[in-house]
Amino acid sequence: MARKTANDDPLAPVTLAVGQEDLLLDRAVQEVVAAARAADADTDVRDLTPDQLQPGTLAELTSPSLFAERKVVVVRNAQDLSADTVKDVKAYLGSPAEEITLVLLHAGGAKGKGLLDAARKAGAREVACPKMTKPADRLAFVRGEFRSFGRSATPEACQALCDAIGSDLRELASAVSQLVADVEGTIDEAVVGRYYTGRAEASSFTVADRAVEGRTAEALEALRWSLATGVAPVMITSALAQGVRAIGKLSSARGGRPADLARELGMPPWKIDRVRQQMRGWTPDGVAVAMRAVAEADAGVKGGGDDPEYALEKAVVVIARAARSRGRG
C-alpha cells in the first residue's frame, strides 16, 4: 500500500505522490478528490498532463475565484514539466492559495529532482507509490487490501491469489474486492482456488512448484497451459529461478523454527514449511544443475535461442529430474 508522511491530511495545500505504481498514484489522487468533495460537493477538479500545463497556466488555475470555490489541481508526470513551468510551480509552492489543493505526481529519480526537492522543502504531504517488483511486496499489498475491507484471509490464500493473478496490482485489487463481496467469513486457499482455478493452473508459480517437486508430467502440463493462456516466458523462468533458489537457500540454512528461518532467509514462515516439503529429494549437486538449467532457459527466452518454448520445456525436465537426485544416489 502507499506510504504517507506524518502530515496525513489529504486537504493539505500540496500533496506529492512519488513513484511509478499507477494504481497507487491514482489512489493518491482519488483520496484527495474525495476529501475535497466531502468538504465541498462542487469542488472543481483539473487533471493535467505536462503538455497541458504551460507557463502561466498554474497561475490562472489557482487565481482567486469570484465564487470562492474549492479546487483540486492534479499534475501528472511532474518530472516531465518544462523548465519555465517548473519555475511557476516552485513559486506557487512558496505561497499556495487557499481552498486549492495541488497534487503533484512524480516518478521519483533524477529527472525533475529539483521540483521534487522543492516540494519536500515546502512541507508537502508526501505519499510513496513505489513500483512493486518483489513478490513479497505484492503479497503485503494483498494482505493490506483484505485488511482495508475488514476481512480475514489466510497467508496461503493471499499467496494463492498472487500466484493466480500475477503482478498487476489493479487485477489483484479487483480480485480481493470480488472475493470480499462474494464470500463470507475467512477467505482461504480453497476459496481462491474455486474462483481462480483456470488462472492458477496457468500460473508461472504452479509450473515452478510442480517442477521442484519432481512432478515432470504435471509441470509440463502447467507450462503448456501457461504459454497457451499468454503467460510471458520470462515470467516462467523467473518463477523457476525463485523456486530453485528457495530450495538452495533452505537446504544450506541451519535448522530451526520456521519463524527463525523466515527472518534469516527473508521468506514468510508458511513458505518455509512448503519449501521443506519440496526439498526432500534434492542434493546440492541437483540445485547446481537446476540453476544452470534456469540460466540457459532464461537466455533462451530472451533471444539467445530459436525456440523459447523448447528452452522452457528442457529446463522443467532438468529441474524435475534434479528434484529426485537424492533417490538416484
Side-chain angles (χ1 to χ4, degrees):
M1 298 178 67
R3 298 188 300 276
K4 303 170 186 175
T5 55
N7 176 12
D8 197 20
D9 180 7
L11 293 182
V14 181
T15 285
L16 179 64
V18 184
Q20 299 179 44
E21 191 60 70
D22 289 340
L23 174 65
L24 301 183
L25 291 167
D26 286 345
R27 285 185 174 181
V29 172
Q30 290 163 10
E31 182 183 26
V32 172
V33 171
R37 286 186 169 154
D40 181 354
D42 295 324
T43 294
D44 180 23
V45 178
R46 304 295 181 91
D47 198 324
L48 307 170
T49 55
D51 61 307
Q52 295 173 311
L53 193 67
Q54 299 298 319
T57 304
L58 184 62
E60 293 176 12
L61 292 174
T62 57
S63 61
S65 168
L66 291 175
F67 304 101
E69 64 182 358
R70 181 177 290 277
K71 187 178 294 184
V72 175
V73 179
V74 180
V75 180
R76 296 184 182 272
N77 298 312
Q79 72 279 357
D80 295 329
L81 291 172
S82 68
D84 288 339
T85 303
V86 167
K87 290 179 182 178
D88 288 351
V89 177
K90 286 183 176 179
Y92 177 82
L93 292 172
S95 183
E98 292 185 10
E99 302 299 309
I100 303 286
T101 300
L102 176 64
V103 184
L104 299 173
L105 274 56
H106 194 293
K111 188 176 183 182
K113 189 173 183 297
L115 178 57
L116 195 63
D117 293 342
R120 286 169 171 161
K121 186 176 180 180
R125 166 182 179 258
E126 185 167 345
V127 182
C129 306
K131 196 75 175 174
M132 294 193 180
T133 57
K134 297 180 181 179
D137 291 338
R138 292 192 290 273
L139 184 60
F141 170 79
V142 168
R143 289 172 175 164
E145 288 292 287
F146 280 116
R147 283 196 299 272
S148 71
F149 285 105
R151 295 295 300 276
S152 176
T154 66
E156 293 81 4
C158 293
Q159 183 64 53
L161 196 60
C162 289
D163 291 349
I165 300 299
S167 60
D168 190 305
L169 246 58
R170 291 187 191 278
E171 291 195 26
L172 284 169
S174 176
V176 170
S177 179
Q178 179 183 1
L179 288 168
V180 166
D182 293 352
V183 179
E184 295 182 357
T186 299
I187 295 165
D188 59 20
E189 190 173 13
V191 169
V192 174
R194 285 201 303 272
Y195 274 74
Y196 297 99
T197 297
R199 299 190 68 158
E201 288 175 352
S203 164
S204 55
F205 288 99
T206 300
V207 179
D209 283 342
R210 299 297 86 79
V212 299
E213 290 162 4
R215 295 153 66 176
T216 308
E218 293 176 44
L220 289 172
E221 181 182 1
L223 171 63
R224 289 161 189 151
W225 190 303
S226 293
L227 294 171
T229 54
V231 176
V234 69
M235 295 296 293
I236 299 174
T237 54
S238 175
L240 290 171
Q242 290 181 47
V244 175
R245 278 199 298 267
I247 297 288
K249 288 167 69 175
L250 190 56
S251 63
S252 61
R254 299 184 301 275
R257 298 178 303 167
D260 296 333
L261 288 170
R263 285 192 294 271
E264 180 183 343
L265 302 178
M267 298 181 189
W270 66 264
K271 189 169 184 179
I272 297 292
D273 292 333
R274 176 181 289 183
V275 176
R276 272 178 168 166
Q277 294 174 358
Q278 293 174 332
M279 62 184 283
R280 289 171 181 164
W282 284 87
T283 64
D285 286 344
V287 172
V289 168
M291 286 306 300
R292 284 197 297 271
V294 171
E296 291 173 3
D298 188 57
V301 303
K302 291 179 178 176
D306 297 327
D307 190 343
E309 293 187 15
Y310 172 72
L312 286 169
E313 288 185 0
K314 181 180 177 182
V316 164
V317 171
V318 171
I319 292 169
R321 185 180 298 128
R324 300 189 301 271
S325 57
R326 188 181 299 278
R328 295 199 308 272

